[in-house]
């Protein structure tokens, strides 16, 4: 695998990492149709844990089969496939070496009663990720939750173990719980803060939701106004979130969110690209569609990140 100068420059931003970590980051960045561009499109399929099987797969019943998702990610030429332990185990041998894997090592579920203190259970491990040939581990933190400090402690310990083993670290940073309002979960000040937290705890790749122009915190609003930080358009807000991740020295990908029509999704992805996002991590908006339709949609998303 020959690494492009663009990818070498990205890897240089990770100054403390060992050759194993950089090799796995390079593997992700040099895989699929976006290989060598510095952009990523990742398929995440952890929604069954989060929302239950029917809400996740009933729209396209082929999605109940883990092999379906491996095949979709591979045939679409994506950068990586992210899923919990059991789903990766269900296709690890059949699809070994065909696409970089990210093991999601913690998960929540919609049956829990936690509201002010949402949290996640540890559902995978670094050793299991190595056993299955993964390139990275993924972990969710909930900044704002009353349980956030415990989650941050957990990821620090897991990240240390992962990096020592040569695995990259992907952090889903989703503000919720505590005193954060529903609108505040995607407010620009809160999303950029959450992204910055993920960078500070050692993430190589940071996943957040596209932010709105809402400003949740009064003290933050004063600064946004006094410093005239542009946040009117989505591309401006994306630029600000990327800036919050060490001036763009960390890879930042944005979720596709709940199911939406294709035109709205592609318009959003275009704004992400214009704002300097490292890429998208698209789950339900791809695998809930019929296979050929999902392939075409992912091709269109990939083309946007290729500048087409």
């Amino acid at each position: 695998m020959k690494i492009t100068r663009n990818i070498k420059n990205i890897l240089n931003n990770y100054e403390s990492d060992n050759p194993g970590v950089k090799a796995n980051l390079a593997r992700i960045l040099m895989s699929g149709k976006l290989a060598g561009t510095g952009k990523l499109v990742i398929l995440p399929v952890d929604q069954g844990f989060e929302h239950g099987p029917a809400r996740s797969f009933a729209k396209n019943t082929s999605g109940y089969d883990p092999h379906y998702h491996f095949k979709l990610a591979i045939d679409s030429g994506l950068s990586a496939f992210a899923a919990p332990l059991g789903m990766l185990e269900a296709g690890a041998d059949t699809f070994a070496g065909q696409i970089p894997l990210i093991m999601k090592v913690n998960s929540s579920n919609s049956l829990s009663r936690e509201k002010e203190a949402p949290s996640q259970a540890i559902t995978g491990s670094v050793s299991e990720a190595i056993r299955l040939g993964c390139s990275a581990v993924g972990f969710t933190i909930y900044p704002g939750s009353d349980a956030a400090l415990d989650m941050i402690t957990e990821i620090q310990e897991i990240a240390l173990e992962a990096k020592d083993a040569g695995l990259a670290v992907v952090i889903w940073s989703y503000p919720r719980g505590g005193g954060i309002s529903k609108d505040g979960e995607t407010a620009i000040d809160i999303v950029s803060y959450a992204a910055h937290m993920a960078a500070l705890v050692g993430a190589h790749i940071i996943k957040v939701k596209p932010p709105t122009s809402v400003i949740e915190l009064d003290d933050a609003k004063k600064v946004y106004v006094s410093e005239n930080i542009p946040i009117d358009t989505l591309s401006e807000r994306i630029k600000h979130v990327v800036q919050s991740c060490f001036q763009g020295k960390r890879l930042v990908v944005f979720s596709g969110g709940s199911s939406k029509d294709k035109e709205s999704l592609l318009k959003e992805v275009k704004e992400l690209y214009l704002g300097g996002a490292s890429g998208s991590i698209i789950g339900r908006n791809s695998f809930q569609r019929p296979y050929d339709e999902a392939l075409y949609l992912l091709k269109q998303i990939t083309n946007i990140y290729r500048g087409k």
Side-chain angles (χ1 to χ4, degrees):
M1 177 179 67
K2 186 176 181 180
I3 298 175
T4 64
R5 182 173 298 277
N6 191 23
I7 302 309
K8 287 181 180 178
N9 289 338
I10 291 173
L11 296 178
N12 286 340
N13 290 327
Y14 299 93
E15 297 190 17
S16 70
D17 285 299
N18 60 43
V21 170
K22 291 194 174 187
N24 273 314
L25 277 173
R27 186 180 175 208
I28 293 170
L29 289 161
M30 291 300 300
S31 292
K33 294 178 180 178
L34 290 169
T37 64
K39 301 298 183 181
L40 305 164
V41 177
I42 298 169
L43 175 67
V45 188
D46 59 339
Q47 292 81 2
F49 234 132
E50 307 294 321
H51 307 296
R55 288 172 61 189
S56 301
F57 308 126
K59 285 186 178 180
N60 178 13
T61 56
S62 297
Y64 284 105
D65 184 352
H67 282 210
Y68 180 86
H69 303 289
F70 278 90
K71 190 172 183 295
L72 177 60
I74 293 165
D75 289 351
S76 299
L78 301 190
S79 308
F81 172 47
L85 169 65
M87 183 165 283
L88 295 184
E89 285 185 325
D93 182 53
T94 300
F95 302 99
Q98 296 185 45
I99 188 169
L101 302 178
I102 300 169
M103 180 182 288
K104 187 69 165 49
V105 298
N106 71 337
S107 297
S108 66
N109 67 80
S110 60
L111 302 180
S112 71
R113 298 176 60 184
E114 296 173 335
K115 291 185 179 180
E116 288 76 17
S119 187
Q120 299 217 350
I122 302 298
T123 56
S125 67
V126 170
S127 62
E128 288 167 318
I130 293 170
R131 172 173 62 86
L132 296 177
C134 295
S135 295
V137 295
F139 191 96
T140 294
I141 60 174
Y142 292 144
S145 168
D146 291 351
L149 299 183
D150 291 336
M151 300 180 80
I152 290 169
T153 298
E154 288 174 343
I155 183 51
Q156 198 283 327
E157 295 170 352
I158 290 171
L160 176 61
E161 183 183 359
K163 292 173 184 179
D164 282 347
L167 297 182
V169 176
V170 185
I171 295 183
W172 279 240
S173 194
Y174 286 171
R176 64 182 60 171
I180 297 177
S181 69
K182 189 63 179 177
D183 287 342
E185 292 179 4
T186 52
I188 180 60
D189 59 319
I190 301 295
V191 172
S192 57
Y193 193 175
H196 185 67
M197 282 189 201
L200 290 174
V201 297
H204 299 104
I205 301 173
I206 297 160
K207 177 191 176 186
V208 289
K209 295 180 180 181
T212 68
S213 59
V214 171
I215 300 176
E216 174 84 345
L217 303 175
D218 290 339
D219 286 343
K221 187 171 185 177
K222 294 174 185 176
V223 177
Y224 279 81
V225 172
S226 67
E227 301 306 316
N228 196 29
I229 299 173
I231 58 170
D232 288 340
T233 67
L234 179 56
S235 61
E236 288 175 336
R237 298 192 292 273
I238 297 304
K239 183 178 180 180
H240 179 62
V241 173
V242 171
Q243 181 185 44
S244 299
C245 296
F246 301 165
Q247 194 74 326
K249 290 185 176 181
R250 293 295 179 265
L251 295 161
V252 188
V253 297
F254 292 83
S255 68
S258 58
S259 299
K260 53 177 68 78
D261 65 86
K262 185 176 74 171
E263 290 71 24
S264 297
L265 178 62
L266 293 175
K267 181 179 179 182
E268 181 177 89
V269 171
K270 182 69 171 179
E271 291 294 304
L272 300 180
Y273 170 74
L274 293 174
S278 302
S280 290
I281 181 162
I282 304 289
R284 285 170 287 177
N285 276 292
S286 59
F287 68 71
Q288 287 186 345
R289 288 177 161 85
Y291 196 76
D292 289 344
E293 185 179 333
L295 282 177
Y296 185 61
L297 173 65
L298 291 168
K299 177 182 178 180
Q300 289 177 292
I301 292 171
T302 298
N303 283 339
I304 289 173
Y305 284 112
R306 293 174 67 186
K308 293 185 176 181

